[in-house]
Amino acid sequence: MARGPLGELGALRPSPLVEQAAERLRERIACGAWPVGTKLPGETTLAASLGVGRSTVREALRALAGAGLVQPRQGAGVFVLATEPKEDWATQLRRAAVTDVYEVRMLIEVEAAHLAARRRTDEDVQALREALAGRRAAGRADNAAFVDADIALHTAVVAAAHNPVLTSLFTQFVPALRSGLIDMLDLLGLRTADPDHGDADHAALVDAVVAGEPERAGRTLRDELAATLERLRSV
């Protein structure tokens, strides 16, 4: 006699049962046993098949809902939404091409430079000047330390915009940016002849923000980032 999808679930081992139950259900969804749009069996049926309590099944289904795989519908049951879990923003950034990340970075950071030139405080001015000095000091260091100092300066510009959403977005871009920029410097040897690569552009950016000139700040940063993007595309 043919066995249905429930008959293939199998009882679970006594370790973290919620995680096991969620994984077993996820596997059945991924293999097509319950196609998209299908209503899952009830908690009692699933609990009996998995050899766990209904509360464990309930928590497992909640985990699957959080991953975007299923959706509970009041009074109707739980339905399959997708066969693969949705990726969160951080995961998408890790998987994205650094050039794609850089293009979005330009959109965010150029606007941040405009805002920073309008909103910078005395504390921001001091932080920007210290970050520029730190970038110059890192000219004597290796590529990783230099990139860290460069990102610290850009972080100070974003912080001076005083918009927590922009700050949060930029922070999430940093890991992907750091990796791509280090690779670029290593491969192209841009600092071999010029250890302080890009110093004039970054000094001009800080000067524009400190002077309260939004258009010049945005233009200076856009030109600097566009040049870097072209180099990244050549790697």
Side-chain angles (χ1 to χ4, degrees):
M1 184 169 68
R3 301 176 67 191
L6 283 176
E8 298 174 4
L9 283 171
L12 300 177
R13 301 181 305 278
S15 68
L17 293 181
V18 171
E19 289 83 352
Q20 286 189 67
E23 180 60 27
R24 195 68 56 80
L25 295 172
R26 186 181 295 114
E27 289 172 357
R28 302 308 299 151
I29 291 171
C31 76
W34 293 308
V36 173
T38 299
K39 178 182 175 180
L40 295 185
E43 289 180 2
T44 301
T45 303
L46 290 174
S49 179
L50 293 167
V52 297
R54 289 180 59 188
S55 62
T56 297
V57 170
R58 194 173 301 119
E59 290 299 319
L61 291 174
R62 186 174 290 118
L64 296 186
L69 291 173
V70 301
Q71 180 184 51
R73 298 177 187 170
Q74 187 67 34
V78 178
F79 292 80
V80 178
L81 284 183
T83 57
E84 295 292 336
K86 64 183 179 183
E87 291 185 336
D88 60 22
W89 178 236
T91 301
Q92 291 183 47
L93 285 176
R94 286 195 299 271
R95 292 167 60 91
V98 67
T99 50
D100 292 338
V101 174
Y102 218 85
E103 287 177 351
V104 180
R105 175 198 181 181
M106 289 177 64
L107 297 174
I108 292 172
E109 202 173 339
V110 169
E111 180 58 26
H114 281 115
L115 293 174
R118 296 187 182 99
R119 299 175 177 176
R120 77 280 181 270
T121 64
D122 291 343
E123 291 77 10
D124 294 324
V125 169
Q126 180 178 350
L128 286 165
R129 288 174 172 160
E130 289 176 354
L132 180 60
R135 189 181 188 278
R136 287 171 170 165
R140 299 185 295 272
D142 61 18
N143 285 340
F146 183 76
V147 167
D148 287 339
D150 178 82
I151 290 175
L153 174 54
H154 286 269
T155 299
V157 173
V158 174
H162 295 279
N163 183 311
V165 177
L166 278 175
T167 300
S168 178
L169 282 172
F170 183 76
T171 298
Q172 292 186 60
F173 278 95
V174 166
L177 292 173
R178 182 179 187 275
S179 175
L181 291 173
I182 292 172
D183 287 346
M184 180 190 73
L185 291 177
D186 288 344
L187 290 170
L188 299 183
L190 296 175
R191 298 180 61 231
T192 302
D194 182 14
D196 294 324
H197 177 74
D199 179 68
D201 291 333
H202 288 80
L205 170 62
V206 170
D207 182 66
V209 173
V210 170
E213 299 179 16
E215 294 306 316
R216 181 161 70 97
R219 182 174 63 253
T220 300
L221 184 54
R222 184 185 299 107
D223 291 345
E224 188 268 322
L225 293 178
T228 302
L229 177 58
E230 287 306 307
R231 294 189 181 97
L232 285 169
R233 285 173 173 153
S234 72
V235 172

